[in-house]
Amino acid sequence: MKIAVYGASGYQGKLVLTELARRDIEPVLAGRDLTRLEQAASAAGLLDAERRVAGTGDHAALVRAFRGCDGVINCAGPFTSSGEAVVRAAIAAGCHYVDTSGEQLYIKKIFDTFATEAQNAGVTVVPAANDGCVPVDLMARVLADHLGSVEEIITTHVIVGGGGMSRGSLRSLAETIDAVKAGGLTYDDGDWRPGMPARRTAIRLPGQSEATPVMAFPVPEVVTIPRHIRVRHVEGLTEAALGDRLNIPLTPEIIESLPEGPEEDSRRSQRFTYVIDASGTDGRRARGIVQGPDTYGTTAVIAVEGARRLIVEPAKPGVLAPAQAYHPIAFLDVLISHGIQWITEDASAT
Ligand SMILES: NC(=O)c1ccc[n+]([C@@H]2O[C@H](COP(=O)([O-])OP(=O)(O)OC[C@H]3O[C@@H](n4cnc5c(N)ncnc54)[C@H](OP(=O)(O)O)[C@@H]3O)[C@@H](O)[C@H]2O)c1
């Protein structure tokens, strides 16, 4: 099995290379700059791995870079400006595709733009194969199967510790800051709508006796969940305390002055909690909780497992949500050995 990593020279790309090496999967390092690819190969201990240079402005070169590979993992963000070119080339090269994007409008655009192209090519595309979207989308599916008929799904993301965001994540945030500050899309009554006020202003998080103030946030699963669950309303939230931090100016100079990403020790000390609250049309409620360490390390595990599964257990061609591409419980169970716990709770406890 051969998987190309586009953006292999970045912080996330190098973690994906390390995970491919751990899984004994042959990587092809792809990106726009050979020197940066050489450095990444050396950092990941992959001196013999193939390097292929192609920029996102050269479709033919990108297709050549992916040809002969079984899959592509795209880690080159910001995806809003460069992601579509990589998806188009992966499809043209006949490669299954996942990416690590968290940019909500980009993710929706991939669903809106490439469904037919991917179907015609017999290729499966799964955007947002990251620490948040995959487990939360899969958990939503588990809760929906439990409830039978779903009225509302509300997801809340809380991340503590960990030494902050990588430069690449900050660039993606800066590029989409207006949409982020506006709270992103809400799925309501059959369509995705910007600017809707959140229904919840506080959520009781696991292990806490008091509710935590929350605000609308453009999480990817607002785009993916309604593709496989018939539901009237889906919204994404995060801690309201994040709001003040979004007002700190993020110029390119400030971002460049920061480290590439958190050191390994800080990364591993980070803890994420994703809460999925679902209400049935009959009034019953269920909660799913996903908790674990290290969002970037977890993203590497999920992107590699996501690409590998598309190759060995093909899903239908097209652009798919995680729960359309993968068996929810089988995939969630793979994550347990990486320190990620997932549980469902009865309504009475929420
Ligand atoms: N949960 C989530 O939402 C989540 C989790 C993890 C990662 N992510 C996303 O993953 C992305 C990568 O993060 P990172 O920390 O690895 O960023 P990074 O260190 O800045 O790396 C970015 C990579 O993309 C390449 N690149 C950037 N712009 C490009 C362009 N226009 N054409 C071709 N290549 C380009 C860079 O190539 P050079 O080396 O040549 O500059 C580099 O390889 C970010 O968008 C981040 O938000 C999201």
Side-chain angles (χ1 to χ4, degrees), residues 6-14 30-34 36-37 54-57 74-79 81-82 86 99-103 107 128-133 157 159 165-173 220 260-261 274 295-296 299-300:
Y6 193 73
S9 52
Y11 180 77
Q12 184 65 64
K14 282 179 277 195
R32 61 183 171 182
D33 184 311
L34 183 59
R36 298 261 306 143
L37 292 179
T56 51
N74 183 12
C75 302
F79 293 85
S81 44
S82 67
V86 185
D99 68 39
T100 62
S101 66
E103 295 153 51
I107 293 157
N130 63 44
D131 60 286
C133 186
H157 289 215
I159 297 171
M165 293 164 91
S166 70
R167 281 202 300 250
S169 291
L170 290 170
R171 281 189 205 101
S172 293
L173 177 64
E260 182 185 37
Y274 303 138
T295 56
Y296 292 104
T299 293

